[in-house]
Amino acid sequence: MAENSNLKTNNLNQQSSSNPALNNLLKKSKLYLKTNHIILIREAYAFSNESHQGQLRKSGEAYINHPLSVAAILAEMKMDAVSIAAAILHDVVEDTAAGKEDIEKRFGLEIANIVDGVSKIDKNIKFLSRDEAQAENFSKMMLAMSDDLRVILVKLADRLHNMRTLDCLSKEKKIRIAKETLEIYVPIALRLGMNKLRLELEEISFRTINPLRYKIIVKAVENHKGNKIKFLEDIKDKIQERLGDINIKAKIYARQKNPYSIYKKMKKKKLSFNAVYDIYGLRVVTEKIDDCYRVFGASHNLFKPVPGKFKDYIAIPKSNGYQALHTVLFGPNAIPIEIQIRTKEMDQFAESGIASHWQYKTGGHSSAQAYARDWLQKIIEMKQNTSNSIDLLENIKVDLFPDEIYVFTPKGEIKELPYRSSVIDYAYSVHSDVGNKCTAAKINDLDVPLSTKLSSGQTIQIITTPLGKPHPSWLEFVVTAKARSNIKSYLKNMQAEQASDLGLRILDKALNDYGTSFTEIPYESIRRLLNEYNLKDEKIFFIEIGLGNISPHLAAQRIANKKSFVKEKYDSFVSKLLGARANELIAIKGTEGLVLNYAKCCRPIPGDDIVGLTSSGNGFVVHRSVCHNIKKSRSNRIFIEWSDEVSGEFQTQIRVFSEKQRGVLANVAGVISRLSCNIENVKFDEVQNPYASFVFTIDVKNRKHLADLIKELKKVKNINKVMRTIG
Ligand code: MN
């Protein structure tokens, strides 16, 4: 065929060929491509044929037949001429003396880049172990995809033809390739919506790996087919007739499940062949979107729909772009019939997915790139959900994004974050206000804790509230400098305000024990003390007290200058601890926020007898005076009480014992919410026969509120005992 390249181009188009593979390709291409495109295809053929001259496939046929067949697969999908030409040339760089530059010189950069992309995917893989090769394959494909998606389409067509011609290979090699196809190419095709190609890849892989099972299922399908077809034909006629009545043009097809999908479903749902096969499917293909909804209405009129099965993927397409209406109807004898309703275009897309973007001239490329992004997301997600022994994703990550992860905003924009970033890091990467006001988050629509580490491909949604504010614990898991510095500076300001306020109140109380108060202390004394502590001003002094870094008693002792009195008073604190209540205690209002923490061990609520413990740097922790942890650390204790103005909700825990598990949770939850308590958490304790016990973490206002709740809960049927937990 070398002489072809010397002919004038318009002659090339007329030229008929003795090569059946070429004729097949030309026949398919001429159905939709223009003359100048056909010329391009012929030129690509001439170049490729010359380059592959003398090479044979394992089957003994001329090598050129392979690239021609790959191109024909793409022509069947009505791909653009550039893709077809690239497919014809796809093995030239890899397997012949010609290089990328030669292709570029002859066919331009676009085609050369696609060929180069396909070659890059192929390269190196054979030198690696199988698992490594797959990870490598993935990463190469992702890289290639970011340049031009058609690289992947050519690669998929290449794989399909190789699968179709597996027969000449050894059994081991066949099975290896089939497994690789199921593991890598099938998911890619699925994510790109290329269902027709995917089904064929699955079918051949299944047949290759499990020839016996394949045969059995094919046979079973054969045996059952007759009844099924008749049943479906009846339904089809009924629907067709109804559509005729309301003047809708539509084609109705009976859907057949292929052996592999039957096998997958049997395995996954542990169903018998009959149970899987007895699901009947019809597809209605309409002219217009409007008609889809009318067909939907008409079919629901004709047969009763199964509740909850209707899905509108037209209004909300699937993430790979798939659109259709899905519903399930009760057919005769209440046999469920699955119906898919879609337009011709949607049907086309459902078959060839992303490839259909190149079938229509208008703006295909940009929307395809949008899908590429989506694809990247899906492919990574898919690999995360695979429990393969090898951590393929890790390999890809290390290989491709050593230090970064890529996540998506709800609008589909990509955000790049350092590896191990948390939800909070993401929130701050959006905006520091989003970080500061962040109160909840969703990953892929599921609620997650704010400390959750992100992985590539996830879609993150941050929920903010005006009252949201950073929590000190965030510093334990954020990794980005932006989040860290924002949280720190916010906390510093907030904490300073609160600590200073609390510090002054504590100091004043301490001074009261010396028979004085802060306003009565001469400024000189304070100045001297500030110098001693090396503090800039009073405010910082209060803050240090508020944070527990300076003992209020020692400070009070210094500025009140009444040593003996101090000792006596200080000792009396200890005795107060053991039961006696002082007249003057520090009142807790519940609004102290960051400087005041409520102990998780005993969970004090207003009305409880309480004691404060100071801990350096962390402010105060309020315990119940019955808490065991109190007795361990006498020295730092502060006497406190609840202020009359106490407000807010406080977390506490109750344990509920019941006779039976079933229904109890719901009943308890009902009572709790009736009394306007919040349930923070429920834990099911070990069953202590014959009782089940649950621990509810709830928010209440005070002891009275809690007592009312416990009283109500005791009235609930099957509940034996309700008690508050003690640390
Ligand atoms: Mn190839």
Side-chain angles (χ1 to χ4, degrees):
M1 281 294 144
E3 65 272 24
N4 269 358
S5 54
N6 298 324
L7 294 175
K8 289 225 165 69
T9 48
N10 50 353
N11 283 344
L12 276 172
N13 191 33
Q14 310 306 320
Q15 182 91 11
S16 75
S17 158
S18 57
N19 184 332
L22 177 63
N23 287 337
N24 177 42
L25 170 64
L26 290 174
K27 202 175 110 198
K28 286 185 169 131
S29 307
K30 280 174 183 167
L31 287 177
Y32 70 100
L33 289 175
K34 291 188 195 132
T35 307
N36 59 329
H37 292 144
I38 302 297
I39 291 167
L40 173 66
I41 289 170
R42 281 182 172 277
E43 281 180 339
Y45 164 71
F47 186 87
S48 183
N49 189 41
E50 196 180 310
S51 307
H52 286 296
Q53 203 59 255
Q55 293 178 354
L56 298 177
R57 296 201 86 204
K58 281 253 159 62
S59 62
E61 64 180 326
Y63 193 87
I64 187 68
N65 286 353
H66 164 65
L68 285 174
S69 307
V70 172
I73 290 169
L74 295 172
E76 232 161 80
M77 297 179 197
K78 299 199 167 51
M79 289 289 295
D80 65 343
V82 166
S83 307
I84 308 278
I88 297 171
L89 297 163
H90 83 269
D91 279 331
V92 164
V93 172
E94 181 85 358
D95 295 342
T96 81
K100 185 190 172 188
E101 314 74 44
D102 300 314
I103 293 179
E104 188 181 335
K105 228 179 280 165
R106 213 36 209 278
F107 300 97
L109 190 60
E110 200 181 9
I111 291 178
N113 275 339
I114 298 176
V115 172
D116 190 48
V118 176
S119 310
K120 274 189 180 143
I121 292 175
D122 287 332
K123 229 177 186 172
N124 301 326
I125 289 168
K126 48 193 100 158
F127 302 112
L128 298 165
S129 79
R130 186 181 143 255
D131 291 337
E132 280 171 315
Q134 290 186 346
E136 183 79 11
N137 219 345
F138 252 97
S139 47
K140 297 273 182 202
M141 287 200 218
M142 282 202 263
L143 278 175
M145 172 219 59
S146 60
D147 292 339
D148 192 329
L149 256 171
R150 289 173 293 185
V151 170
I152 304 300
L153 300 182
V154 172
K155 188 65 207 163
L156 283 168
D158 178 38
R159 175 51 62 120
L160 178 58
H161 185 248
N162 285 334
M163 290 298 286
R164 282 177 180 172
T165 52
L166 269 183
D167 282 346
C168 327
L169 303 178
S170 70
K171 196 179 161 199
E172 288 73 38
K173 201 164 181 196
K174 264 196 250 186
I175 290 179
R176 180 180 69 74
I177 293 175
K179 280 185 174 162
E180 187 185 76
T181 300
L182 281 184
E183 223 163 287
I184 295 198
Y185 291 90
V186 162
I188 291 172
L190 180 71
R191 295 309 179 187
L192 294 177
M194 302 170 70
N195 289 316
K196 201 174 164 209
L197 179 141
R198 173 192 46 104
L199 287 171
E200 193 178 344
L201 287 177
E202 281 182 341
E203 215 49 39
I204 302 172
S205 303
F206 177 48
R207 198 175 66 206
T208 306
I209 298 167
N210 278 320
L212 205 64
R213 279 205 192 98
Y214 179 79
K215 250 185 234 159
I216 292 168
I217 292 178
V218 168
K219 189 128 192 240
V221 168
E222 214 46 59
N223 291 343
H224 289 71
K225 218 174 180 173
N227 290 337
K228 185 167 184 173
I229 289 176
K230 191 178 173 313
F231 179 85
L232 279 175
E233 284 299 318
D234 284 352
I235 309 272
K236 203 175 123 178
D237 289 347
K238 285 205 177 92
I239 296 179
Q240 194 82 70
E241 195 187 314
R242 178 64 61 98
L243 295 185
D245 292 347
I246 55 172
N247 262 327
I248 293 177
K249 262 198 240 157
K251 288 203 170 114
I252 307 181
Y253 306 91
R255 288 192 289 130
Q256 288 293 339
K257 277 206 161 57
N258 62 7
Y260 182 62
S261 64
I262 293 173
Y263 169 69
K264 250 194 322 196
K265 209 160 189 177
M266 284 170 68
K267 215 174 135 184
K268 193 175 150 204
K269 304 207 165 162
K270 298 199 163 56
L271 293 172
S272 69
F273 173 82
N274 283 334
V276 172
Y277 192 71
D278 278 353
I279 295 166
Y280 294 75
L282 284 178
R283 179 174 305 139
V284 185
V285 179
T286 68
E287 306 274 326
K288 295 176 298 190
I289 291 185
D290 267 7
D291 289 346
C292 292
Y293 290 96
R294 293 174 67 202
V295 169
F296 168 74
S299 61
H300 275 208
N301 246 325
L302 203 55
F303 298 102
K304 225 170 121 123
V306 177
K309 291 288 185 182
F310 169 56
K311 298 219 169 65
D312 186 350
Y313 295 120
I314 292 180
I316 304 164
K318 283 192 184 180
S319 53
N320 63 11
Y322 174 85
Q323 287 188 297
L325 299 177
H326 286 189
T327 185
V328 181
L329 307 174
F330 287 114
N333 301 324
I335 292 172
I337 307 151
E338 297 175 351
I339 313 249
Q340 301 173 340
I341 308 165
R342 55 205 192 203
T343 65
K344 273 185 195 161
E345 287 74 26
M346 294 171 191
D347 196 48
Q348 182 65 53
F349 186 83
E351 266 202 359
S352 47
I354 195 147
S356 64
H357 285 281
W358 280 274
Q359 293 164 355
Y360 307 101
K361 284 285 142 200
T362 47
H365 202 71
S366 65
S367 59
Q369 286 301 336
Y371 275 109
R373 233 178 16 208
D374 217 41
W375 177 66
L376 173 63
Q377 168 185 4
K378 289 299 166 192
I379 213 159
I380 294 167
E381 202 176 85
M382 175 265 308
K383 288 319 289 178
Q384 279 165 349
N385 296 335
T386 320
S387 51
N388 289 343
S389 53
I390 176 165
D391 204 339
L392 205 47
L393 182 71
E394 269 318 303
N395 278 350
I396 291 165
K397 251 196 234 155
V398 170
D399 192 12
L400 252 189
F401 325 114
D403 304 311
E404 279 90 39
I405 55 164
Y406 295 89
V407 295
F408 296 84
T409 69
K411 284 182 186 158
E413 289 151 31
I414 293 190
K415 285 238 168 243
E416 183 185 322
L417 288 166
Y419 182 54
R420 297 191 64 72
S421 285
S422 65
V423 167
I424 293 294
D425 290 295
Y426 170 86
Y428 278 103
S429 81
V430 175
H431 194 278
S432 50
D433 272 352
V434 175
N436 283 336
K437 306 264 174 234
C438 171
T439 49
K442 289 180 179 200
I443 293 181
N444 299 338
D445 283 335
L446 295 175
D447 293 319
V448 294
L450 296 177
S451 58
T452 309
K453 299 277 177 214
L454 305 178
S455 320
S456 282
Q458 292 172 330
T459 299
I460 322 294
Q461 190 191 347
I462 298 294
I463 293 124
T464 59
T465 58
L467 292 177
K469 55 190 175 205
H471 193 273
S473 68
W474 292 2
L475 291 170
E476 287 160 27
F477 55 77
V478 296
V479 298
T480 53
K482 185 167 184 194
R484 185 165 296 276
S485 62
N486 268 299
I487 296 167
K488 275 191 168 167
S489 82
Y490 187 94
L491 288 179
K492 216 170 155 189
N493 290 335
M494 280 303 292
Q495 200 176 24
E497 285 309 314
Q498 293 170 352
S500 144
D501 183 51
L502 186 71
L504 175 59
R505 280 160 63 201
I506 293 171
L507 179 65
D508 217 32
K509 291 294 175 199
L511 285 168
N512 288 350
D513 289 338
Y514 297 92
T516 180
S517 73
F518 189 73
T519 45
E520 291 168 34
I521 304 291
Y523 186 71
E524 304 294 275
S525 312
I526 296 167
R527 190 70 252 167
R528 210 169 358 172
L529 190 68
L530 292 183
N531 282 338
E532 250 176 69
Y533 283 125
N534 203 10
L535 298 173
K536 201 171 79 212
D537 55 33
E538 289 163 49
K539 178 150 185 186
I540 294 184
F541 176 48
F542 300 148
I543 291 171
E544 288 294 299
I545 293 174
L547 291 177
N549 293 337
I550 292 177
S551 155
H553 310 297
L554 289 179
Q557 171 195 334
R558 304 292 281 282
I559 45 181
N561 205 16
K562 289 177 184 171
K563 278 180 186 151
S564 57
F565 187 65
V566 170
K567 177 83 179 93
E568 189 184 309
K569 275 288 181 183
Y570 188 69
D571 285 347
S572 78
F573 277 161
V574 180
S575 61
K576 271 178 214 159
L577 209 217
L578 302 172
R581 277 188 89 155
N583 294 327
E584 293 178 311
L585 300 174
I586 295 172
I588 300 299
K589 294 181 193 155
T591 52
E592 289 79 4
L594 296 171
V595 281
L596 217 152
N597 299 298
Y598 298 93
K600 287 273 187 284
C601 46
C602 52
R603 298 179 193 268
I605 58 174
D608 288 337
D609 280 336
I610 46 174
V611 172
L613 294 183
T614 64
S615 66
S616 181
N618 293 327
F620 292 81
V621 183
V622 180
H623 289 262
R624 291 167 71 184
S625 44
V626 293
C627 180
H628 304 297
N629 290 334
I630 292 280
K631 280 148 203 166
K632 292 178 194 158
S633 51
R634 278 177 195 188
S635 55
N636 290 325
R637 151 182 338 179
I638 303 275
F639 291 91
I640 49 177
E641 67 178 355
W642 298 102
S643 156
D644 292 339
E645 307 152 35
V646 68
S647 67
E649 307 226 301
F650 298 82
Q651 234 176 55
T652 190
Q653 275 183 341
I654 52 171
R655 173 170 274 125
V656 175
F657 294 91
S658 75
E659 256 160 49
K660 288 179 195 153
Q661 279 173 246
R662 186 184 276 179
V664 165
L665 258 182
N667 291 339
V668 171
V671 172
I672 291 178
S673 79
R674 184 150 51 79
L675 290 179
S676 342
C677 299
N678 243 343
I679 302 179
E680 293 278 345
N681 188 12
V682 186
K683 259 196 261 165
F684 177 64
D685 252 20
E686 284 294 298
V687 182
Q688 308 174 351
N689 272 333
Y691 302 119
S693 120
F694 301 92
V695 176
F696 288 81
T697 305
I698 51 175
D699 294 331
V700 295
K701 291 194 185 71
N702 49 41
R703 267 177 88 94
K704 164 103 177 34
H705 193 193
L706 179 65
D708 290 346
L709 175 69
I710 290 177
K711 208 166 95 195
E712 285 304 306
L713 283 175
K714 282 180 173 164
K715 292 182 193 162
V716 175
K717 204 176 144 204
N718 287 334
I719 286 184
N720 299 76
K721 205 166 141 192
V722 183
M723 55 191 280
R724 185 175 176 192
T725 62
I726 308 171

